[in-house]
Amino acid sequence: MGENAAVLTLDELGLRLPAKARLMGIDLGTKTIGLALSDVERRLASPLETIRRTKFTADVTKMLELARKHEVAAFVIGLPLNMDGGEGPRAQSTRAFVRQTALLTPLPFVFWDERLSTAAVTRELIAQDASRAKRAEVVDRMAAAYILQGGLDRLARLRAS
């Protein structure tokens, strides 16, 4: 399956999703992969897990096992755009990850602009007085939830219009 078949816009995904289906949010980092999960009504995103990156196949196998276990219908992955909206090396790396992962799953991907998601989550954790160690432990999966919640909110607006 090529990238074009595996990647949908949020609008296209909204038309294809069954009434009750979970989405998985992904915050792809160089050292970790943060994962989040929606409820079946796709209203709320919750942090799920952080995968420590080792090798591509092991990382993706774990992610896809979690997707199967939670009956996920699609992935919302953060696309780290530059502040000017352009794509740099991290965005290209994310696109490559999706291309490679799409060969291993029939589930579609949606890219979501993740600019400032980690910064927003970190600010919130600091406001909650979370220690540096605690922030490091949870920030990736919370960033995935932040990314996924953005996608869920957009899907809800599309359904309402």
Side-chain angles (χ1 to χ4, degrees):
M1 181 181 258
E3 184 181 35
N4 293 344
V7 177
L8 303 174
T9 65
L10 212 49
D11 300 34
E12 291 167 337
L13 180 65
L15 296 173
R16 293 183 185 197
L17 283 173
K20 306 260 186 201
R22 293 182 194 278
L23 300 181
M24 181 176 276
I26 305 170
D27 179 44
L28 185 66
T30 54
K31 296 182 180 139
T32 59
I33 301 172
L35 300 175
L37 202 59
S38 77
D39 61 309
V40 294
E41 279 90 26
R42 296 186 297 276
R43 290 196 181 110
L44 188 65
S46 301
L48 178 64
E49 190 167 318
T50 300
I51 298 172
R52 293 251 162 251
R53 294 192 72 176
T54 54
K55 288 188 165 48
F56 173 82
T57 305
D59 302 343
V60 170
T61 298
K62 179 145 180 71
M63 184 182 88
L64 294 178
E65 282 172 7
L66 287 165
R68 268 191 299 281
K69 176 181 168 188
H70 294 286
E71 300 177 346
V72 167
F75 300 103
V76 177
I77 186 165
L79 188 63
L81 298 173
N82 296 330
M83 292 312 285
D84 66 3
E87 291 193 16
R90 287 199 52 235
Q92 292 164 0
S93 171
T94 300
R95 288 188 183 279
F97 177 88
V98 168
R99 270 194 308 276
Q100 291 303 110
T101 305
L103 300 171
L104 306 172
T105 180
L107 300 178
F109 285 83
V110 171
F111 288 116
W112 185 257
D113 180 354
E114 73 159 39
R115 282 179 283 186
L116 304 178
S117 60
T118 301
V121 167
T122 302
R123 273 195 310 276
E124 180 60 29
L125 287 168
I126 289 169
Q128 293 175 16
D129 211 22
S131 69
R132 186 178 296 272
K134 181 67 173 170
R135 289 196 309 264
E137 179 188 319
V138 301
V139 71
D140 299 307
R141 61 182 178 261
M142 286 186 69
Y146 186 91
I147 289 162
L148 180 55
Q149 191 64 56
L152 295 174
D153 293 348
R154 172 90 176 112
L155 274 173
R157 285 194 300 277
L158 290 170
R159 278 195 307 267
S161 60

